[in-house]
Amino acid sequence: SINGLVFGTVYNITYQYDGNLKAEIDAELKKFDGSLSPFNDTSVITRVNRNEEIVTDTFFQTCFNRSMEISAETRGAFDITVAPLANAWGFGFKKGAFPDSIMIDSLLQITGYQKVKLENGKVIKEDPRVMLSCSAVAKGYSVDVVARYLDSKGIKNYMVDIGGELVVKGVNPKEEAWRIGINKPVDDSLSLNQEIQTTLKLTNVGIATSGNYRNFYYKDGKKYAHTIDPRTGYPVQHNILSATVVADDCMTADALATAFMVMGLDEAEAFTKSHPNIGAYFIYSDEKGEVKSYFTKNMKQYLDK
C-alpha cells in the first residue's frame, strides 16, 4: 500500500506486486497535473484558458473528448465550460461576489459545451472568454490513468483511490471482492464524520461519489450547494445529497455523479433507466426532510448483504 498527496487531496493505492511503484506513480500524476490542473499556472488547461496558442497533450484531449460525449448524453447537465459560473458563485478557482441575474445571463452567453471544440489538438472557442474546468472529471480520469499504469505492469489485483474516486480490479488482500463504503451525508465540512451508509462489494469497475453535503455556504438564511446547473447558471436546489456511480471507468463515473447532482432525482432516475449498464446509489432528503436512499437495478448486485 502506498499513499501521498495530489490535487489537494490524498491518494491511497493498494496493489499486488513485488516492487514499490510510488516514484513511477507520482511521476505519472505529476504529468497529469501538468495537463489538467487549473491550480497549476503552466498546465495545458490553464494555458488554454489564457487563450495561448497551444497544441494540447493526450491527457487533455482524452478528457476533453470524453467530457463532450458525456455532455451530449446528459443534455448539458455535465459541462466543462461551467468554470466562469462556478467562479462567480465563489466555488471555483477564482472567488467571486454573489452574482445577480444580469451577471448570470451574461455568463450563460459564454457557457455551453457546444461553444468549444478540438481541432488537430487545438482548442477552438466561439468566444475567447469561454473557460474550461475539468474539476468534475479530472480526478476520476487520474484514477484511470494510474489503473492503466498498473495494468501495463501486469498487475491483476489493485485498488486506486484518489480523493474517494476509485478503480478496483481483481481481489483484495483477503482474496475477496473489494469492499467500498458510501459515507452518510452529514453536514461536515472537515470530513471528520465518516459514518457509513452502506457498503458495496465490487471488482473491475470505476466508482465515484459526488455530494453537496460538505461543500456549500449560507447567505441570507439560504443554503447554496456547490453544484452549479450549467443550463440555468444557478446552484442546484435539488434533494439529492450524494450520488454514487459505478461504471466501466472512473472518469465516466465521476462525470455522471456530478451530472446526477445537477439533474435531481427524477431526471437522474430516468437517465439510469435508459443506461442500464450504469449503477447508481442516491441518498436524498424527502419532503419531510428525512434521509432516504434509492438505487438502480444494476446497483443491487454490488450491495453488501
Side-chain angles (χ1 to χ4, degrees), residues 9-70:
T9 187
V10 181
Y11 74 73
N12 291 289
I13 301 168
T14 303
Y15 56 96
Q16 186 179 19
Y17 189 65
D18 57 6
N20 187 336
L21 298 171
K22 184 167 171 28
E24 292 91 330
I25 287 168
D26 283 342
E28 196 72 6
L29 288 170
K30 194 167 190 289
K31 272 194 304 200
F32 187 91
D33 188 81
S35 175
L36 287 163
S37 171
F39 304 103
N40 181 333
D41 216 36
T42 56
S43 71
V44 172
I45 194 163
T46 301
R47 294 176 66 193
V48 165
N49 283 338
R50 284 200 297 254
N51 297 311
E52 292 181 24
E53 267 291 305
I54 174 178
V55 176
T56 57
D57 64 339
T58 42
F59 282 143
F60 181 92
Q61 290 168 27
T62 303
C63 188
F64 183 93
N65 291 332
R66 186 71 187 111
S67 293
M68 289 297 144
E69 290 168 7
I70 293 170

Side-chain angles (χ1 to χ4, degrees), residues 15-264:
Y15 56 96
Q16 186 179 19
Y17 189 65
D18 57 6
N20 187 336
L21 298 171
K22 184 167 171 28
E24 292 91 330
I25 287 168
D26 283 342
E28 196 72 6
L29 288 170
K30 194 167 190 289
K31 272 194 304 200
F32 187 91
D33 188 81
S35 175
L36 287 163
S37 171
F39 304 103
N40 181 333
D41 216 36
T42 56
S43 71
V44 172
I45 194 163
T46 301
R47 294 176 66 193
V48 165
N49 283 338
R50 284 200 297 254
N51 297 311
E52 292 181 24
E53 267 291 305
I54 174 178
V55 176
T56 57
D57 64 339
T58 42
F59 282 143
F60 181 92
Q61 290 168 27
T62 303
C63 188
F64 183 93
N65 291 332
R66 186 71 187 111
S67 293
M68 289 297 144
E69 290 168 7
I70 293 170
S71 294
E73 277 176 31
T74 61
R75 298 194 183 129
F78 172 81
D79 194 323
I80 58 170
T81 66
V82 77
L85 284 165
N87 292 337
W89 284 101
F91 288 113
F93 41 91
K94 288 192 176 73
K95 290 280 176 267
F98 224 66
D100 59 18
S101 59
I102 297 164
M103 185 178 178
I104 296 295
D105 289 344
S106 69
L107 289 173
L108 283 171
Q109 304 302 309
I110 56 166
T111 306
Y113 67 97
Q114 303 95 333
K115 294 177 179 150
V116 60
K117 55 183 194 275
L118 204 54
E119 282 178 4
N120 304 321
K122 286 186 179 175
V123 174
I124 314 288
K125 302 178 185 179
E126 247 179 46
D127 183 309
R129 294 171 304 163
V130 170
M131 281 176 83
L132 306 182
S133 166
C134 294
S135 63
V137 66
K139 204 163 54 163
Y141 179 29
S142 70
V143 177
D144 293 330
V145 165
V146 174
R148 277 202 292 273
Y149 174 73
L150 297 176
D151 290 339
S152 77
K153 291 281 183 198
I155 296 170
K156 298 278 183 275
N157 302 310
Y158 59 75
M159 177 186 77
V160 180
D161 171 355
I162 299 181
E165 320 293 26
L166 304 109
V167 167
V168 288
K169 191 162 185 186
V171 292
N172 70 13
K174 293 181 178 163
E175 299 198 350
E176 297 166 353
W178 294 91
R179 297 184 61 178
I180 309 299
I182 298 177
N183 282 350
K184 276 194 173 151
V186 183
D187 280 3
D188 166 35
S189 57
L190 295 174
S191 315
L192 297 175
N193 189 328
Q194 299 281 358
E195 274 186 86
I196 298 297
Q197 170 94 14
T198 190
T199 308
L200 308 175
K201 283 174 85 164
L202 14 79
T203 186
N204 304 338
V205 289
I207 177 167
T209 297
S210 187
N212 268 331
Y213 54 95
R214 289 213 175 108
N215 198 349
F216 54 81
Y217 57 74
Y218 288 93
K219 183 178 159 74
D220 304 331
K222 200 168 181 192
K223 185 169 165 180
Y224 289 87
H226 82 126
T227 304
I228 309 289
D229 188 335
R231 305 168 296 186
T232 65
Y234 288 86
V236 296
Q237 300 287 336
H238 294 314
N239 52 354
I240 299 187
L241 300 170
S242 82
T244 298
V245 179
V246 175
D248 291 340
D249 60 275
C250 196
M251 178 161 40
T252 301
D254 200 3
L256 287 178
T258 301
F260 293 157
M261 293 303 300
V262 169
M263 290 175 182

